[in-house]
Amino acid sequence: FYSMPVTQYRGMYLGFLWRLDHHPHADQALPDGKDFKMETELAWSRDGVKWDRHPLKAAFIPVGATHYESCDWGMVRGMGNMIEMDDHIRVYYGASSHLHASWRSPGAPRSSTICMGTLRRDGFVSISADDDGGMMLTKPLAYPGGKLRINAKTAGNGFIKIAVREGEGIRDGEWPPDFRFDQSIPFNGDSLDHVVTWKSAETLKAFPSKTLRLLFWLENADLYSFRFE
């Protein structure tokens, strides 16, 4: 069973997909103990028609503690009234202390509450890497001008470096020397709006192509978003 309130966020549509879990046979139970519990997944769309969701169906707002007294033990239902507040986002959701099928939890109190969760700006998902590191190569992007800005954080001696590759025609994938990893000024810390620079350039104005690919190298880091401005 699914239901989905929708809200807009920075040119996209975000859906809070209510997911009810239950075994197809009423006399059997799911192995994870989530029979008739409802959680909220995150879905997204560019046009409001074609929607995507995480392939692992991960819970964006999971149910709470595993005891009846918790206000969100049985169900959490994201609402379509997300609010941006400076450096964070507030997400409101309805929470219930009972299961969707009350006969499955006869001892649980039946109460419903309006709750609020918070996350950093653009903090819905991230590309993450640990000590082993990792890389992400974007699809070809049209350079709109301006500086490259990232929303990211690192831990310990973690870092993020960005190389830029050409992104069209027979030169797709070429590495101009001024924009390779050894020229990237590493990012370390926690910032919602860090300006990326290279040793010989603050923007990509001198990049030989107006279509490019960004190659991110991360270690002990989370990358939430990037943009040009």
Side-chain angles (χ1 to χ4, degrees):
F1 170 78
Y2 297 96
S3 181
M4 189 172 75
V6 174
T7 189
Q8 288 185 294
Y9 181 77
R10 298 179 182 267
M12 294 187 65
Y13 295 96
L14 297 179
F16 300 120
L17 185 64
W18 302 355
R19 185 190 71 223
L20 175 63
D21 294 306
H22 66 86
H23 199 283
H25 301 291
D27 60 341
Q28 300 182 43
L30 294 173
D32 58 7
K34 286 191 175 181
D35 266 305
F36 292 99
K37 288 192 174 185
M38 182 178 287
E39 296 182 307
T40 298
E41 291 184 41
L42 185 68
W44 55 92
S45 173
R46 297 278 183 186
D47 57 9
V49 178
K50 181 182 182 298
W51 288 86
D52 292 297
R53 61 198 284 209
H54 196 286
L56 297 180
K57 300 181 181 180
F60 176 61
I61 308 176
V63 291
T66 56
H67 54 80
Y68 291 160
E69 290 78 14
S70 172
C71 68
D72 56 0
W73 174 79
M75 294 184 281
V76 289
R77 302 173 296 279
M79 301 178 179
N81 60 347
M82 185 178 69
I83 299 174
E84 293 186 68
M85 297 285 291
D86 300 322
D87 62 350
H88 70 277
I89 298 168
R90 295 181 178 181
V91 179
Y92 292 87
Y93 60 96
S96 297
S97 61
H98 53 277
L99 299 177
H100 192 269
S102 58
W103 55 271
R104 297 297 294 265
S105 53
R110 295 183 61 83
S111 64
S112 297
T113 310
I114 301 298
C115 301
M116 182 187 74
T118 62
L119 62 158
R120 68 187 288 140
R121 189 197 313 158
D122 299 339
F124 301 96
V125 295
S126 67
I127 297 296
S128 304
D130 53 21
D131 289 334
D132 293 335
M135 293 189 179
M136 179 188 74
L137 178 66
T138 70
K139 65 181 183 181
L141 306 172
Y143 175 53
K147 296 180 179 180
L148 175 60
R149 299 170 179 268
I150 62 173
N151 179 345
K153 69 176 180 180
T154 64
N157 61 350
F159 66 84
I160 298 177
K161 295 182 180 181
I162 299 97
V164 189
R165 305 175 71 164
E166 295 190 48
E168 62 183 339
I170 61 173
R171 293 189 58 81
D172 189 1
E174 291 293 323
W175 300 64
D178 290 341
F179 296 94
R180 295 180 181 178
F181 285 128
D182 60 354
Q183 298 296 305
S184 175
I185 306 300
F187 166 76
N188 178 275
D190 187 342
S191 176
L192 298 172
D193 193 25
H194 174 75
V195 176
V196 176
T197 59
W198 296 264
K199 292 179 181 178
S200 60
E202 294 187 354
T203 72
L204 295 173
K205 184 178 180 180
F207 195 76
S209 173
K210 295 305 179 184
T211 302
L212 52 86
R213 297 176 184 264
L214 300 176
L215 180 58
F216 293 87
W217 177 9
L218 298 83
E219 287 192 14
N220 287 321
D222 295 283
L223 173 67
Y224 296 96
S225 64
F226 67 88
R227 75 182 197 279
F228 291 100
E229 187 176 281

